[in-house]
Amino acid sequence: MGAPFNYDVLDLTDDEVDAEVRTFGALTAAVRRLNEATLRTTVDHDTVEDVRRQVEELTARLEKSMIPDNFGVSFTKGGRIRGYGNAVVGIRNPNAVPLKVVQDKVNGRASAEFELNALHEGPPGQVHGGVVALVLDQVFGEAAAAGGSPGMTGTLALRYRLNTPLGPCSAEAWVDRRDGIKTIVKGELRRADGTVTVTAEGIFILPRWAREEIAKNGGTP
């Protein structure tokens, strides 16, 4: 059984990738501001209608040339990853937090500092529990990869110990142990003052197609 998806390898230079990161990253940041402003604005209805018309005109300009469906993940020949559509870290996804994850490949850890705003609200003034799970799933997966055992999320169990207020937050995850094709990762989400609000444990599983590919090349999963 082969991988259920393919990765394109593109002939792009680092300068070209840097340029698209700057250009599209700036556009995405602007749309994120628009998203939050849409939620929080108190301008009059006539102004809202005028802005809506302008947004639709700008959207139509971007829609003149689009990829067929999802963005997917591709690599450059120099090894740069283009996962711009990712729901948590995608630089071209205005719905992403966004998260900038730092990997520690020596110790199998990953961490991130970020801000969750009004768009991430669940209970009044607090972060939605599903957003917490989304963030931790990404950080946990990157910890598993940093530890040399990348895999797909098998389970992710969260314990919501305290409320998480909107605003600055941080997350950290580490490889706890390995059990064959499974990597067990633990971690936590913290408030701005360092107080732990959520603890979690996840199991990340090396998929069958990857195990078969490793075995075909003479390795051991």
Side-chain angles (χ1 to χ4, degrees):
M1 174 184 177
F5 37 76
N6 296 312
Y7 294 116
D8 293 327
V9 179
L10 307 177
D11 190 14
L12 293 174
T13 66
D14 284 348
D15 286 344
E16 288 173 323
V17 175
D18 289 341
E20 68 178 6
V21 167
R22 285 193 304 271
T23 302
F24 287 101
L27 172 62
T28 305
V31 175
R32 287 194 184 105
R33 284 185 59 197
L34 175 63
N35 287 346
E36 188 173 5
T38 298
L39 174 63
R40 297 174 56 195
T41 189
T42 58
V43 299
D44 62 85
H45 289 191
D46 288 341
T47 300
V48 171
E49 278 297 300
D50 185 48
V51 170
R52 177 191 61 77
R53 285 190 292 270
Q54 292 181 63
V55 169
E56 289 183 348
E57 290 173 1
L58 294 172
T59 301
R61 290 177 62 186
L62 293 175
E63 287 176 339
K64 287 181 178 179
S65 178
M66 297 197 301
I67 59 176
D69 39 50
N70 59 297
F71 193 91
V73 178
S74 59
F75 295 83
T76 70
K77 292 182 178 179
R80 298 282 293 273
I81 302 173
R82 297 172 74 255
Y84 299 161
N86 184 282
V88 189
V89 298
I91 66 159
R92 289 183 62 172
N93 187 343
N95 293 323
V97 174
L99 222 60
K100 292 184 179 179
V101 182
V102 177
Q103 289 187 342
D104 177 355
K105 295 185 178 180
V106 174
N107 299 301
R109 303 177 78 92
S111 60
E113 295 182 357
F114 47 95
E115 184 155 343
L116 298 173
N117 60 33
L119 295 170
H120 307 112
E121 186 175 49
Q126 312 301 318
V127 179
H128 193 292
V131 173
V132 170
L134 182 75
V135 166
L136 288 181
D137 182 56
Q138 181 71 32
V139 178
F140 275 42
E142 298 215 23
S149 302
M152 302 296 184
T153 310
T155 63
L156 184 63
L158 283 73
R159 181 185 178 192
Y160 296 87
R161 300 171 59 178
L162 295 168
N163 62 302
T164 304
L166 297 173
C169 301
S170 64
E172 186 171 11
W174 55 89
V175 174
D176 181 67
R177 64 190 185 278
R178 297 180 181 83
D179 181 11
I181 62 172
K182 299 178 182 179
T183 300
I184 293 81
V185 179
K186 293 185 177 182
E188 55 197 25
L189 188 88
R190 307 186 188 104
R191 295 174 178 169
D193 63 2
T195 301
V196 175
T197 61
V198 181
T199 57
E201 179 174 315
I203 298 176
F204 291 79
I205 302 172
L206 188 66
R208 179 176 297 176
W209 60 264
R211 303 198 300 268
E212 292 174 350
E213 189 67 24
I214 292 171
K216 185 171 66 177
N217 293 323
T220 303

